[in-house]
Amino acid sequence: MSSHEQPIAPTEPSQDAVSTADPAKPQPSSEQGASLPAGEESHLQKPTPMSKNALKRIRKQKEWEDGREDRRLKRKEKRHAHKFKVRAERKALVEAGVDPSIVYNRNKRAGTLVPVAVVIDCDFEQYMTDKERISLSSQVTRAYSDNRNARYKAHLWVAGFSGKLEERFNTVLQAQQRSWKGASVFAGDFVACAAEARAQMARKQTVSQMAEGEDAAEEANQHQQLLIGPLQRSLDTPVPWPRDAHDPFPLPDPEPPLDPAFRDVVYLSSDSPYTLERLEPNTTYVVGGLVDKNREKGLCYRRARERGIRTARLPIGQFMVMQSRQVLATNHVVDIMLKWLEFEDWGKAFLSVIPKRKGGKLRQENEEGGVEEAEEEAGDGEPAEEAGAADEPKGAGAA
């Protein structure tokens, strides 16, 4: 090489050279760039197609949502037709000479608040399907209605009010819980809710009914609660709390001691080895808001036991004989306790609440009739009869 020659610089490959590259070897592209981080999908990947059943569920849900206004109008027309019918029947009775106070039920007294709290523990969302959560919301609204219309009303609370249950109330049920009277919702667990219920009862002035007699007026203002005869008798004579000889849900570990800070709380569960004899004043009774077709055995009982909370089961087996083994819905358990406050008789309370189609009979009547006995259990809020919601889709899940 002479001194006049310059070194040749390397040149970039021409377009023709690039096009003639081996097609079998993948060429890097500006779109792909570096490899994607772990767990991140490329936008070039196609989404997984939905199954036919999933598409069918979405279509049914959309059809249900589209028909919501039509259903509302039909319900409104039905209510108006029922009102006109009742007015016509009452008018005919009055014209026939029946006492108007009886026809129009003017002597009916408003419900009286008593120093008893009922907490529905709804903190079981992860154990239920969408359809079961819809059923639970219906049972909660039915429990509120039963308590509102009861002769003796309890302090009603809904614990674990969050997640999809709260979403359904705020959307489908139009946030009706915000207008509830005598009932409250609580996002925390049942133990914290029981503490709130205790404080609420303490803020009310307790008036004894026994001082003026059983037949005295049952009027109490908004700052008072009435200590009715059944609760007064439970206070005068301490309620026994013996352990049953038969343990329906034996556990291997020894029973932990009770939490002294929550001795006034009782969790109702059919798996408890204790039987509820009477309701006590200034006590909170927790009902499991669990709709799972009895898949989760002993879930409510274990939850209460681990927290050092007293447990008990309703004495259905002592008073009733059923034709089949069933579990009571959440609203049924609440209503049975409200009926006991009115009758002070578990047999009457069970007969007035448990659906007749279940063939339940009092043990005395059963012995006379010779019907074969079957066992009935009061459950952790699982449905014996699902309370129908006013706007609940059939055959399609909803939040």
Side-chain angles (χ1 to χ4, degrees):
M1 178 181 296
S2 65
S3 60
H4 299 285
E5 293 178 345
Q6 299 294 329
I8 301 174
T11 60
E12 295 181 0
S14 63
Q15 185 68 24
D16 295 336
V18 173
S19 62
T20 58
D22 188 1
K25 296 182 180 180
Q27 300 296 325
S29 63
S30 59
E31 292 183 351
Q32 290 177 341
S35 60
L36 294 173
E40 184 176 340
E41 296 182 356
S42 170
H43 68 282
L44 300 177
Q45 296 178 350
K46 295 182 178 180
T48 304
M50 299 183 68
S51 65
K52 292 182 178 180
N53 288 337
L55 293 172
K56 184 178 180 181
R57 286 194 297 269
I58 293 176
R59 186 175 66 253
K60 280 189 174 182
Q61 184 65 28
K62 187 177 184 304
E63 292 173 354
W64 176 263
E65 297 294 337
D66 293 341
R68 185 182 303 278
E69 183 64 20
D70 292 337
R71 293 193 302 275
R72 188 187 68 82
L73 294 176
K74 289 181 180 179
R75 290 196 303 270
K76 185 176 180 180
E77 293 174 358
K78 187 176 180 180
R79 287 196 303 269
H80 287 173
H82 178 71
K83 286 182 179 180
F84 287 132
K85 180 182 177 181
V86 171
R87 288 173 183 173
E89 292 175 350
R90 289 176 173 175
K91 182 179 179 181
L93 290 173
V94 172
E95 292 176 350
V98 181
D99 187 355
S101 62
I102 298 177
V103 174
Y104 293 100
N105 199 18
R106 292 172 178 168
N107 295 329
K108 182 180 179 180
R109 293 175 176 173
T112 302
L113 185 65
V114 298
V116 169
V118 175
V119 172
I120 302 177
D121 181 12
C122 297
D123 194 16
F124 297 98
E125 182 173 294
Q126 66 271 30
Y127 299 99
M128 294 184 287
T129 64
D130 286 341
K131 187 175 181 180
E132 290 167 344
R133 283 189 284 266
I134 292 172
S135 178
L136 174 62
S137 65
S138 302
Q139 294 180 27
V140 170
T141 56
R142 181 65 62 86
Y144 165 72
S145 177
D146 291 338
N147 186 64
R148 178 184 176 186
N149 297 318
R151 180 179 179 183
Y152 299 117
K153 300 184 295 184
H155 298 261
L156 184 63
W157 287 77
V158 181
F161 190 79
S162 59
K164 291 187 176 181
L165 178 66
E166 182 182 15
E167 179 184 350
R168 177 171 173 79
F169 267 89
N170 290 334
T171 55
V172 177
L173 301 182
Q174 301 176 351
Q176 61 173 262
Q177 77 278 3
R178 297 176 185 173
S179 60
W180 282 356
K181 297 180 180 179
S184 306
V185 296
F186 188 79
D189 67 2
F190 76 95
V191 176
C193 186
E196 292 291 328
R198 176 198 299 154
Q200 185 185 62
M201 286 188 288
R203 288 192 294 267
K204 298 285 185 179
Q205 178 187 0
T206 303
V207 181
S208 176
Q209 184 187 47
M210 300 295 288
E212 300 181 5
E214 292 286 341
D215 298 328
E218 299 176 352
E219 298 296 333
N221 60 40
Q222 60 179 349
H223 303 293
Q224 295 178 333
Q225 55 192 357
L226 188 65
L227 186 64
I228 58 177
L231 295 178
Q232 181 68 59
R233 284 184 279 276
S234 297
L235 186 63
D236 295 339
T237 304
V239 180
W241 205 262
R243 185 183 178 95
D244 297 341
H246 171 67
D247 192 342
F249 193 80
L251 295 174
D253 55 322
E255 185 173 1
L258 297 178
D259 187 344
F262 292 96
R263 285 188 171 274
D264 57 346
V265 180
V266 179
Y267 206 121
L268 298 179
S269 171
S270 61
D271 300 309
S272 173
Y274 301 92
T275 301
L276 187 66
E277 299 292 341
R278 299 178 62 88
L279 300 186
E280 304 173 69
N282 303 310
T283 303
T284 299
Y285 296 90
V286 185
V287 181
L290 176 62
V291 181
D292 69 337
K293 301 300 186 290
N294 209 22
R295 292 189 305 270
E296 302 293 336
K297 303 290 186 181
L299 182 59
C300 294
Y301 173 58
R302 291 195 302 268
R303 170 176 289 192
R305 195 171 184 261
E306 291 169 358
R307 301 293 295 271
I309 303 299
R310 284 195 299 171
T311 62
R313 55 179 174 176
L314 294 179
I316 296 184
Q318 298 179 9
F319 292 87
M320 300 288 293
V321 173
M322 308 299 292
Q323 292 182 356
S324 60
R325 182 185 179 92
Q326 297 291 338
V327 187
L328 297 180
T330 300
N331 57 291
H332 287 160
V333 178
V334 174
D335 199 15
I336 285 172
M337 289 191 289
L338 297 174
K339 294 299 183 184
W340 185 90
L341 293 172
E342 181 178 353
F343 302 135
E344 198 179 358
D345 187 310
W346 287 117
K348 290 182 179 180
F350 293 141
L351 283 179
S352 62
V353 175
I354 296 177
K356 291 181 173 55
R357 61 181 175 82
K358 298 188 178 298
K361 292 186 177 181
L362 291 175
R363 283 197 171 273
Q364 183 178 359
E365 297 177 357
N366 178 72
E367 293 172 357
E368 295 174 356
V371 180
E372 183 180 358
E373 293 189 2
E375 187 178 7
E376 162 75 6
E377 291 189 1
D380 301 330
E382 297 151 25
E385 178 188 24
E386 293 187 0
D391 200 10
E392 178 178 338
K394 302 297 185 292

